[in-house]
Amino acid sequence: MPEMPEVQGLADFLRSKLLPPNAPAAVIADVEVLSFPVLKTAAVPLEELYAGPVSDVERRGKFLILTAGGVHLVMHLAKAGWLRWSDALKPGHLRPGRGPMALRVRFAASGEGAAEPGFDLTEAGTRKSLAVYVVRDLADVPGIARLGPEALDVRAAAFTELVTSHRGQIKGLLRDQSVIAGIGNAYSDEILHAAHLSPFAIGAKLGTDEVQRLFEAMGAVLDSAIENAAGRPAAELKDSKRQAMRVHARTGEPCPVCGDTVREVAFADSSLQYCPTCQTGGKLLADRRMSRLLK
């Protein structure tokens, strides 16, 4: 799932394409909905996006937001969605179907004879969760209205209060978008590994030093990931994320810190990875139904 660093990378990339310095901003020429369930709103017509040039591209949590014509095109890529940019889209419309294509946004050509650039939103797999909204007010998007503060905007004192008052597992807290926005399954694994904490650790039971390590790890991991994504084209962002992971999606590989084997706990629709030596004192985490350390 694209998380805050990758979505920020996509926002920066689109901004460079659509709001180039010393050149006119791009104008949306057409929006094709190729998978009808992806569009979650109907109150604002798509055509309002054509009323004026692109004025901003930004990110909020894991949402990518393109503003044009005074309205917002809000995109959430869910678990398997992605954005594919083309400097020269083929002319003509596509047929809606059952393939990965969900939405196409086409921009006006920059001059006579020039190609029309644009991007496609795609989603792999049969489970379709990608969501697109067209709204005048970002608060009209339920997921945005529920978001907590951005992960890198949370201060140490506020973070300590969030953690020490949380009676559930710390990985769940990091992933809760209503508490801290932008962190998902992958970066919560990476943050907990960097903090030398078990994903099953209970927030309210963490000591002062552990909470401080967790706060510092959150900042360091996300800052590094954002730096890694900066300046990369959309096509490179997913691979650069995978290559930078230390434990996430590296089950069976050696931990780059201690050399122990990275282990996994599988759930119905996801999994987490961790290093026993770095995070759990060498013990293996139990099955998800038990949620405790094996003895």
Side-chain angles (χ1 to χ4, degrees):
M1 175 183 291
E3 299 177 32
M4 181 259 275
E6 293 76 51
V7 180
Q8 185 63 55
L10 287 173
D12 293 341
F13 172 76
L14 281 182
R15 193 180 299 110
S16 71
K17 292 289 188 179
L18 305 177
L19 293 166
N22 305 316
V27 176
I28 295 177
D30 191 29
V31 178
E32 294 180 62
V33 179
L34 301 165
S35 175
F36 296 109
V38 74
L39 187 61
K40 306 300 183 183
T41 53
V44 180
L46 289 171
E47 289 75 16
E48 289 200 23
L49 290 163
Y50 316 159
V54 173
S55 58
D56 199 6
V57 183
E58 58 185 323
R59 176 196 60 80
R60 180 73 173 95
K62 297 185 227 177
F63 290 86
L64 179 64
I65 305 163
L66 189 158
T67 303
V71 297
H72 309 287
L73 178 67
V74 181
M75 298 158 276
H76 190 282
L77 298 174
K79 186 174 183 178
W82 195 243
L83 183 149
R84 302 182 185 278
W85 176 266
S86 173
D87 286 326
L89 291 173
K90 292 181 179 179
H93 286 80
L94 300 174
R95 286 186 179 181
R98 297 183 179 180
M101 290 285 291
L103 188 88
R104 168 166 286 184
V105 179
R106 187 184 298 270
F107 296 91
S110 58
E112 187 175 351
E116 291 182 322
F119 65 81
D120 297 327
L121 295 186
T122 63
E123 187 170 21
T126 57
R127 183 177 177 181
K128 302 301 185 183
S129 302
L130 190 151
V132 175
Y133 309 81
V134 180
V135 294
R136 296 188 182 91
D137 186 342
L138 292 177
D140 291 337
V141 179
I144 290 181
R146 291 194 299 266
L147 287 179
E150 294 289 332
L152 292 177
D153 292 340
V154 179
R155 302 301 181 189
F159 183 80
T160 298
E161 183 176 351
L162 289 173
V163 172
T164 56
S165 62
H166 183 69
R167 299 188 180 278
Q169 296 170 358
I170 193 64
K171 181 175 171 72
L173 175 71
L174 292 174
R175 295 184 62 186
D176 188 341
Q177 300 303 296
S178 67
V179 177
I180 301 172
I183 302 171
N185 193 34
Y187 286 107
S188 59
D189 280 352
E190 295 296 299
I191 290 166
L192 289 164
H193 178 254
H196 300 288
L197 290 173
S198 167
F200 286 176
I202 303 301
K205 295 183 178 180
L206 295 182
T208 302
D209 290 345
E210 291 173 314
V211 176
Q212 182 63 26
R213 287 207 313 268
L214 184 62
F215 177 72
E216 292 175 355
M218 180 175 73
V221 168
L222 294 178
D223 279 339
S224 176
I226 290 171
E227 183 178 353
N228 183 49
R232 293 185 183 273
E236 295 181 7
L237 286 169
K238 286 197 289 186
D239 285 342
S240 67
K241 173 186 178 179
R242 292 191 194 101
Q243 293 168 8
M245 294 286 117
R246 292 189 167 200
V247 292
H248 182 75
R250 298 205 179 273
T251 304
E253 298 181 22
C255 168
V257 174
C258 71
D260 194 1
T261 301
V262 174
R263 305 299 181 115
E264 175 178 289
V265 177
F267 301 90
D269 58 356
S270 66
S271 63
L272 65 82
Q273 287 79 38
Y274 70 100
C275 169
T277 294
C278 290
Q279 295 176 252
T280 63
K283 296 180 180 180
L284 301 184
L285 289 174
D287 178 83
R288 64 185 185 275
R289 293 165 295 183
M290 298 173 67
S291 298
R292 62 173 182 260
L293 292 177
L294 288 170
K295 296 182 179 179

